Amino acid sequence: MHKVLEQIKNGLIVSCQALDGEPLHSSFIMGRMALAAREGGAVGIRANSVSDIVEIKKQVNLPVIGIIKQVYRNHPVFITPTMKEIDALAETGAEIIATDATNRLRPDGSDLESFYQEVRTKYPHILMMADVSSVEEAIFADKLGFDIVAPTLYGYTEETDGLKIDDHDYAVIKQIVKEVKNAKVIAEGNVSTPEIARFVLDINVHSVVVGGAITRPQFITQRFVDAMQK
Amino acid sequence: MHKVLEQIKNGLIVSCQALDGEPLHSSFIMGRMALAAREGGAVGIRANSVSDIVEIKKQVNLPVIGIIKQVYRNHPVFITPTMKEIDALAETGAEIIATDATNRLRPDGSDLESFYQEVRTKYPHILMMADVSSVEEAIFADKLGFDIVAPTLYGYTEETDGLKIDDHDYAVIKQIVKEVKNAKVIAEGNVSTPEIARFVLDINVHSVVVGGAITRPQFITQRFVDAMQK
């Protein structure tokens, strides 16, 4: 197994993101968030944008899953959508690059298969993570050769809008673990409680990514306020 | 009822603190945390140190409970222990000042009663919050005239070390709510989940303070990691 995949096995990866317009939007703050995550026992960090990744890599010596969220003309594929974002991420030294791996065409009109081949040829040694929204997309990404597959976009596409990882007794992530042959499956997307993290680990995912439940205080505050107003 | 007490009634107060040595230690970050708390629906902020409070007051227009954690010669009373810290907090414009209101002597040798009278004489218009560790201390602080009483130190004194607000079916906070006549009772200390916040509101506390469960990502990360390693 690749050394980085060994490092993150059975561990928690903390997604440290605050987009433009969020209260914690700041590479300085995301670097400190990564420090906090490491202090709490995280084995990896997922982060968005070159400046955040560069700052995080200064603060912690943990593997980073890099993404660039870039919207092109309201196109729905926005997680590392084109080679431009791949090139920028490769330069940061992020050990893993994640990209939208749904069956939707990309902003430049290419499909996932041709995009993947192009990336793989240019960067044969970078670990590639497929952010998918369904079991079928997970199987396809695995066949293409992605190193990691995660249902990051389950709940975040037109077809899956509002669905959660624990819906239907965790059916989607269970099925992905069962069907994916070579790639490592990481649980990502709506892992909002320690209990969910524990559950998905028990169905044999390789690692678990948690984001907002740790690093978006506005979202955590809202959960307390909602409970108090019920 | 005092306008500020009206403002925080039935609401969530978020404690935004990162002490020296913590990953988020930075007044800039605490200001952004306060913004996030407001965005999530908080009605007040609790904060430590003049520089944090000044920055938070620049960022959000919410009532602030100010404290200064200052240890004198390893003395166990460290939450706003002397008049020096009261004076500094009064200057920040914090609407409420919280202080240790346990039955322990203070670093200068004075007891709570004489300290309280001295503060009240000097600052008749500031709301005073008593951080106590027991029902008896809550009753005494109420009799002295504190505006707010909270079991902030329950679990954090030699006698109560490790106890939690929800121990024994919430006995301590229930008893405080029952026995305190004039002061408002705020639930603070180990309110670690939305369920606990909901529960204490149902036993008629005036407001709820949540800290680490929202603003200490290292602590939240640890809870996920603990669940995954169980």
Side-chain angles (χ1 to χ4, degrees):
Chain A
M1 202 190 307
H2 190 291
K3 185 180 141 252
V4 168
L5 296 176
E6 284 281 10
Q7 264 181 283
I8 61 174
K9 190 171 157 54
N10 293 327
L12 175 68
I13 295 164
V14 176
S15 187
C16 299
Q17 297 185 44
L19 307 184
D20 199 6
E22 287 190 71
L24 302 193
H25 182 62
S26 147
S27 295
F28 167 70
I29 298 178
M30 290 303 106
R32 296 296 195 90
M33 272 287 177
L35 261 182
R38 191 195 58 187
E39 196 172 305
V43 299
I45 304 294
R46 176 159 161 140
N48 170 54
S49 86
V50 168
S51 62
D52 283 10
I53 295 169
V54 167
E55 178 61 25
I56 286 167
K57 285 212 151 279
K58 276 185 209 158
Q59 297 294 330
V60 299
N61 184 22
L62 291 176
V64 170
I65 301 171
I67 61 171
I68 293 178
K69 288 182 173 170
Q70 180 65 56
V71 174
Y72 286 90
R73 304 171 308 277
N74 294 321
H75 197 282
V77 171
F78 66 91
I79 299 180
T80 319
T82 78
M83 188 59 82
K84 186 178 167 210
E85 289 79 37
I86 297 274
D87 289 339
L89 289 169
E91 253 194 76
T92 65
E95 287 78 1
I96 302 167
I97 292 178
T99 184
D100 182 305
T102 61
N103 59 16
R104 302 173 295 192
L105 291 182
R106 313 186 78 83
D108 64 0
S110 68
D111 62 15
L112 180 65
E113 179 159 9
S114 58
F115 181 67
Y116 176 79
Q117 301 305 352
E118 203 185 337
V119 174
R120 203 26 112 209
T121 306
K122 195 164 180 184
Y123 301 106
H125 300 302
I126 285 181
L127 292 168
M128 290 293 299
M129 174 167 173
D131 287 346
V132 304
S133 71
S134 70
V135 177
E136 295 67 32
E137 288 167 354
I139 294 170
F140 187 66
D142 181 38
K143 281 191 186 141
L144 285 180
F146 275 93
D147 303 284
I148 298 168
V149 169
T152 313
L153 290 162
Y154 181 67
Y156 298 97
T157 60
E158 213 182 318
E159 289 77 17
T160 66
D161 187 34
L163 294 175
K164 308 277 183 199
I165 194 167
D166 54 336
D167 282 348
H168 312 297
D169 197 25
Y170 295 86
V172 166
I173 184 77
K174 277 180 181 169
Q175 198 66 19
I176 289 175
V177 168
K178 196 174 151 196
E179 303 276 2
V180 163
K181 303 300 176 200
N182 297 305
K184 301 300 176 195
V185 175
I186 289 185
E188 172 164 5
N190 285 302
V191 181
S192 53
T193 66
E195 293 68 35
I196 295 177
R198 170 75 257 173
F199 190 92
V200 292
L201 205 59
D202 284 339
I203 58 174
N204 278 323
V205 300
H206 188 77
S207 323
V208 179
V209 177
V210 176
I214 294 175
T215 59
R216 284 194 158 103
Q218 70 275 30
F219 165 81
I220 312 171
T221 300
Q222 180 74 57
R223 280 163 65 181
F224 276 87
V225 169
D226 285 348
M228 289 170 67
Q229 289 177 345
K230 245 192 332 232
Chain B
M1 201 189 306
H2 190 291
K3 185 180 142 251
V4 168
L5 295 176
E6 284 281 10
Q7 263 181 282
I8 61 174
K9 190 169 158 57
N10 293 327
L12 176 68
I13 295 164
V14 176
S15 186
C16 299
Q17 296 185 44
L19 306 184
D20 198 7
E22 287 190 71
L24 301 193
H25 182 62
S26 148
S27 296
F28 166 70
I29 298 178
M30 290 303 106
R32 296 295 195 89
M33 272 286 177
L35 261 182
R38 192 195 58 186
E39 196 172 305
V43 299
I45 304 294
R46 177 161 161 138
N48 171 53
S49 87
V50 168
S51 62
D52 283 10
I53 295 168
V54 167
E55 178 61 24
I56 286 167
K57 286 213 150 278
K58 276 186 210 158
Q59 297 294 329
V60 299
N61 184 22
L62 291 176
V64 170
I65 301 171
I67 60 169
I68 293 177
K69 289 183 173 169
Q70 180 65 55
V71 174
Y72 286 90
R73 301 172 310 275
N74 295 321
H75 197 283
V77 172
F78 67 91
I79 299 180
T80 320
T82 77
M83 188 59 83
K84 186 177 168 210
E85 289 79 38
I86 298 274
D87 289 339
L89 289 169
E91 254 195 76
T92 65
E95 287 78 1
I96 302 166
I97 292 179
T99 184
D100 182 304
T102 61
N103 59 15
R104 302 174 295 192
L105 292 182
R106 311 185 79 82
D108 65 2
S110 68
D111 62 15
L112 180 65
E113 179 158 10
S114 58
F115 181 67
Y116 176 79
Q117 301 304 353
E118 203 185 338
V119 174
R120 204 25 115 208
T121 307
K122 195 163 181 183
Y123 300 106
H125 301 300
I126 285 182
L127 291 168
M128 291 293 300
M129 173 166 173
D131 287 346
V132 304
S133 71
S134 70
V135 178
E136 295 67 34
E137 288 166 355
I139 295 171
F140 187 65
D142 181 37
K143 282 190 185 142
L144 285 180
F146 274 93
D147 304 284
I148 298 168
V149 169
T152 314
L153 289 162
Y154 181 67
Y156 298 96
T157 60
E158 214 182 317
E159 289 77 17
T160 65
D161 188 34
L163 294 175
K164 307 277 183 198
I165 194 167
D166 53 337
D167 282 349
H168 312 297
D169 196 26
Y170 296 86
V172 167
I173 184 76
K174 277 180 180 168
Q175 198 65 19
I176 290 175
V177 169
K178 196 174 150 194
E179 303 275 2
V180 163
K181 303 300 174 201
N182 298 304
K184 302 299 178 196
V185 175
I186 289 186
E188 172 164 3
N190 285 302
V191 181
S192 53
T193 66
E195 293 69 35
I196 295 178
R198 170 75 258 174
F199 190 91
V200 292
L201 205 58
D202 284 339
I203 58 174
N204 278 323
V205 301
H206 188 77
S207 323
V208 180
V209 177
V210 176
I214 293 175
T215 60
R216 285 194 157 103
Q218 70 274 30
F219 165 81
I220 312 170
T221 300
Q222 180 74 57
R223 279 162 66 181
F224 276 87
V225 169
D226 285 349
M228 290 170 66
Q229 288 177 346
K230 245 192 333 232

